[in-house]
Amino acid sequence: MLNSFPKSPKAVNEPIKSFAPGSPERAEVLTTYKNLYKQTVHVPLTINGEKVESGNTAEMHPPHDHQHLLGTYSLAEKKHINQAIESALNARKAWSQLSFEQRATIFLKAADLLAGPYRAKINATTMLAQSKTIHQAEIDAACEFIDFLRFNVQFAEEIYAEQPNSGDGIWNRLSYRPLEGFVYAVSPFNFTAIAGNLSAAPALMGNTIVWKPSDHQVYSAQVIMEVFEEAGLPAGVINMVMGDPAMITETVLASPDFAGIHFTGSTFIFKNIWQKIGENIHNYKTYPRIVGETGGKDFIVAHPSANVSEVATGIVRGAFEFQGQKCSAASRVYLPKSSAKAILDEVVKSLEEITMGSPEDFGNFVTAVIHQGSFDRLKEAIEEAKKSSEVTILHGGKCDNSKGYFVEPTVLVTTNPHYDTMERELFGPVVTVYIYEDANYTATLELVDQTSAYALTGAIFSKDRYAAEEALIALENSAGNFYINDKPTGAVVGQQPFGGARASGTNDKAGSKLNLLRWVSPRLIKEPLLTPKNYRYPFLGE
Ligand code: NAD
């Protein structure tokens, strides 16, 4: 125990590198990409710091080049999941009692490893197996992940510093205990940063973890484990297991020591997990914390006063970066009749310039969608739209999976504001536009609020401050992250805490103190300085 209250280094957002032609970072990431492409790797399970082979494997392929083999990964059996739980429970005592500065240093070191020696590798693996362009990889796998690691240390320190008042002759103290048991982290394919943070955030607060990455992110998940290990994470604190998600989840939720889930993924799966937790509630030693950030059907509304180019740019970037595979991606757009044509002409002009292909070619703005299932879902929705009398295809509509899962950026215009693709999360490069009469702005805001089950992100474009204010009020519960005159994507840790409500999640705001509070169970300690020695109060008199 050190006799001090150390202050951690002040967190600042990691600067985004440009990867402009001629820059050293561009040369380094391309070399790393090409070298990795030539090799195959194998990713074992990580249980109690050991690399474990199950004998059963699955393959990893680039979505933009699906016949190419990147490597294989081990698939866990039920016994491995039980071993991972046991390992987390065994590691808990020492880890939860380790001083905060020791735990924090590991994650700060991981951040510096990602910012320096591992930057090219985490970016290149994210480009290869999740098909991100270099810019999308850099803002996610490098910068956002680094920000999560650094800001969480600062937030944790602020939490620990929050202490109750102490009355006369008393010292009241709060200790922020980790949860009693272990935490289950289940991550999606679309953000390497989220995959890392779902286990790192509860681990920083003293919890130990069983982490199940998505089958479609294992390639960069192995780099996350490598970085954590190089940073000095002790054995058993984060155990990484891959395999049948239903079996893994069933096994984890059957443990009486299950203390919480940190989930990001689709709504339906999260609701099923919540239901199973409910069914098992009598078996648990403690009420589990349930934190889940889930789907979105994110909107852009343009007021007649909005600037045409600003709206068009918001649509192109908001809907099509990373092929629309961001939970925050704009997928339904409401344009006023007076400026709809001008806005859509600019959108189409930009999309005509955009090229689609491998992320290795830095000229491409759009690459492939993640897998065959996603390709099929998008193709089917586009084919339906082609047949519908309520929809016009303004741009795109072609799908080709001969080399990679390529879906052209597609703009649908519908006359039915409740058309399927205005309501259902497609999670791909398809945006649907509804054109409203200028005079119906107020009614349109109500339509936006009532159209979808989700409430994750949304944007209003308006030069008229009264109209912007009206949207803020009318759409108060329609989005957990609301943007004025900006695209609804690209939340930055420490600046725009992220999460939505309704069917979009528990809104525990990743990248903020609010999230970390879910991973502690505070204990109040009261101590009088002079302890009474007689039961009688003065009012009892003689
Ligand atoms: P997904 O729901 O298919 O998978 C998420 C995780 O759940 C994966 O690890 C997967 O293996 C696991 N899973 C699958 N079936 C399961 C089961 N039966 N039991 C337990 N776990 C199971 O999602 P995805 O395709 O990886 O990611 C896209 C989804 O994630 C979209 O809906 C998107 O909106 C959402 N998302 C939300 C946020 C947010 O912050 N709100 C951020 C990123 C992604």
Side-chain angles (χ1 to χ4, degrees):
M1 171 56 131
L2 290 177
N3 292 318
S4 65
F5 297 115
K7 186 128 191 65
S8 64
K10 186 167 169 43
V12 286
N13 290 112
E14 176 66 14
I16 300 168
K17 290 193 186 281
S18 78
F19 296 89
S23 63
E25 66 266 16
R26 184 181 176 110
E28 192 188 357
V29 80
L30 268 175
T31 307
T32 311
Y33 182 105
K34 286 181 208 294
N35 286 342
L36 289 169
Y37 187 87
K38 281 188 253 157
Q39 309 160 13
T40 52
V41 294
H42 175 68
V43 186
L45 313 170
T46 303
I47 302 173
N48 198 28
E50 306 278 323
K51 300 298 166 192
V52 177
E53 300 296 347
S54 63
N56 219 342
T57 59
E59 293 182 348
M60 299 179 287
H61 303 272
H64 49 276
D65 188 1
H66 52 54
Q67 291 310 299
H68 179 75
L69 184 68
L70 288 172
T72 54
Y73 60 95
S74 280
L75 297 169
E77 292 165 23
K78 198 178 161 98
K79 68 171 184 201
H80 299 114
I81 307 309
N82 284 320
Q83 286 164 5
I85 294 171
E86 202 184 314
S87 151
L89 291 172
N90 288 339
R92 186 185 176 279
K93 188 157 188 271
W95 179 248
S96 65
Q97 290 175 1
L98 188 66
S99 64
F100 174 65
E101 60 269 28
Q102 300 289 354
R103 295 199 309 270
T105 305
I106 293 169
F107 293 106
L108 291 174
K109 217 168 147 60
D112 278 21
L113 287 167
L114 288 161
Y118 278 87
R119 195 177 197 118
K121 191 170 183 186
I122 198 84
N123 277 335
T125 48
T126 301
M127 292 165 77
L128 271 162
Q130 288 143 270
S131 279
K132 292 209 170 191
T133 62
I134 179 56
H135 177 67
Q136 292 301 315
E138 166 76 359
I139 60 174
D140 160 26
C143 299
E144 188 176 2
F145 192 12
I146 294 165
D147 288 351
F148 272 133
L149 294 166
R150 290 183 180 150
F151 276 89
N152 279 346
V153 169
Q154 186 178 302
F155 297 142
E157 203 171 73
E158 287 167 16
I159 289 173
Y160 290 167
E162 268 178 40
Q163 293 295 322
N165 291 332
S166 292
D168 241 9
I170 292 171
W171 189 3
N172 294 321
R173 322 192 272 272
L174 264 185
S175 82
Y176 292 89
R177 302 172 302 184
L179 306 183
E180 194 179 7
F182 70 94
V183 171
Y184 182 37
V186 183
S187 54
F189 79 83
N190 67 334
F191 277 90
T192 304
I194 294 178
N197 185 53
L198 290 186
S199 55
L204 175 70
M205 304 312 283
N207 297 280
T208 52
I209 320 291
V210 175
W211 170 34
K212 196 209 85 55
S214 158
D215 290 339
H216 305 283
Q217 188 264 328
V218 176
Y219 194 63
S220 57
Q222 53 142 352
V223 185
I224 296 176
M225 281 312 288
E226 202 180 327
V227 168
F228 285 162
E229 283 159 11
E230 189 165 336
L233 191 76
V237 174
I238 297 176
N239 302 275
M240 183 174 80
V241 289
M242 293 77 73
D244 173 9
M247 179 279 288
I248 297 176
T249 302
E250 197 102 339
T251 311
V252 165
L253 299 187
S255 167
D257 292 298
F258 166 68
I261 180 163
H262 203 189
F263 176 91
T264 300
S266 53
T267 299
F268 181 76
I269 287 173
F270 182 57
K271 285 187 174 175
N272 277 345
I273 293 175
W274 192 306
Q275 191 170 12
K276 285 197 187 104
I277 294 170
E279 285 161 13
N280 287 339
I281 195 69
H282 293 291
N283 304 335
Y284 300 133
K285 292 180 184 165
T286 183
Y287 293 104
R289 296 285 163 88
I290 307 177
V291 176
E293 301 308 330
T294 57
K297 192 70 201 172
D298 311 298
F299 57 84
I300 288 177
V301 183
H303 182 257
S305 66
N307 176 285
V308 166
S309 301
E310 289 174 7
V311 181
T313 303
I315 296 172
V316 173
R317 288 185 171 173
F320 300 117
E321 281 182 315
F322 189 36
Q323 299 73 262
Q325 298 172 119
K326 299 187 183 189
C327 47
S328 53
S331 59
R332 52 184 175 124
V333 173
Y334 302 79
L335 299 180
K337 200 169 181 179
S338 57
S339 56
K341 185 174 179 317
I343 293 168
L344 291 172
D345 282 351
E346 278 204 25
V347 169
V348 169
K349 191 165 166 277
S350 300
L351 293 179
E352 279 167 355
E353 286 166 20
I354 280 174
T355 56
M356 182 166 71
S358 164
E360 187 181 350
D361 176 350
F362 280 20
N364 291 325
F365 187 84
V366 167
T367 73
V369 299
I370 193 71
H371 49 49
Q372 182 71 47
S374 170
F375 179 85
D376 290 345
R377 181 175 65 239
L378 291 157
K379 187 168 182 207
E380 194 186 325
I382 291 169
E383 293 309 319
E384 279 304 308
K386 284 180 184 164
K387 282 188 249 155
S388 170
S389 59
E390 296 173 331
V391 181
T392 311
I393 301 203
L394 197 66
H395 182 85
K398 291 197 207 76
C399 304
D400 179 357
N401 65 347
S402 50
K403 183 166 172 67
Y405 306 112
F406 289 104
V407 176
E408 251 188 331
T410 299
V411 182
L412 309 177
V413 180
T414 184
T415 51
N416 173 6
H418 293 289
Y419 180 73
D420 174 49
T421 60
M422 290 295 281
E423 301 198 332
R424 183 161 63 98
E425 186 186 47
L426 287 179
F427 219 58
V430 177
V431 70
T432 312
V433 179
Y434 173 71
I435 298 169
Y436 68 89
E437 295 290 340
D438 290 30
N440 291 346
Y441 176 65
T442 299
T444 303
L445 294 178
E446 201 179 319
L447 179 69
V448 173
D449 179 60
Q450 294 301 314
T451 293
S452 133
Y454 301 103
L456 190 51
T457 73
I460 172 75
F461 282 81
S462 173
K463 293 276 169 245
D464 175 338
R465 299 311 306 193
Y466 289 110
E469 181 80 351
E470 188 183 348
L472 264 177
I473 294 165
L475 301 174
E476 184 184 8
N477 294 308
S478 323
N481 281 52
F482 195 83
Y483 296 78
I484 301 174
N485 294 323
D486 198 8
K487 65 181 169 57
T489 58
V492 173
V493 175
Q495 297 194 39
Q496 294 106 22
F498 191 78
R502 295 187 184 164
S504 291
T506 54
N507 201 13
D508 287 295
K509 295 291 185 208
S512 83
K513 231 161 58 167
L514 297 172
N515 178 280
L516 297 188
L517 280 170
R518 299 304 307 273
W519 310 116
V520 293
S521 177
R523 175 168 70 151
L524 182 282
I525 301 159
K526 175 195 169 185
E527 182 171 358
L529 301 176
L530 293 179
T531 306
K533 292 193 166 76
N534 186 326
Y535 85 95
R536 293 182 71 81
Y537 293 106
F539 77 88
L540 291 171
E542 268 308 302

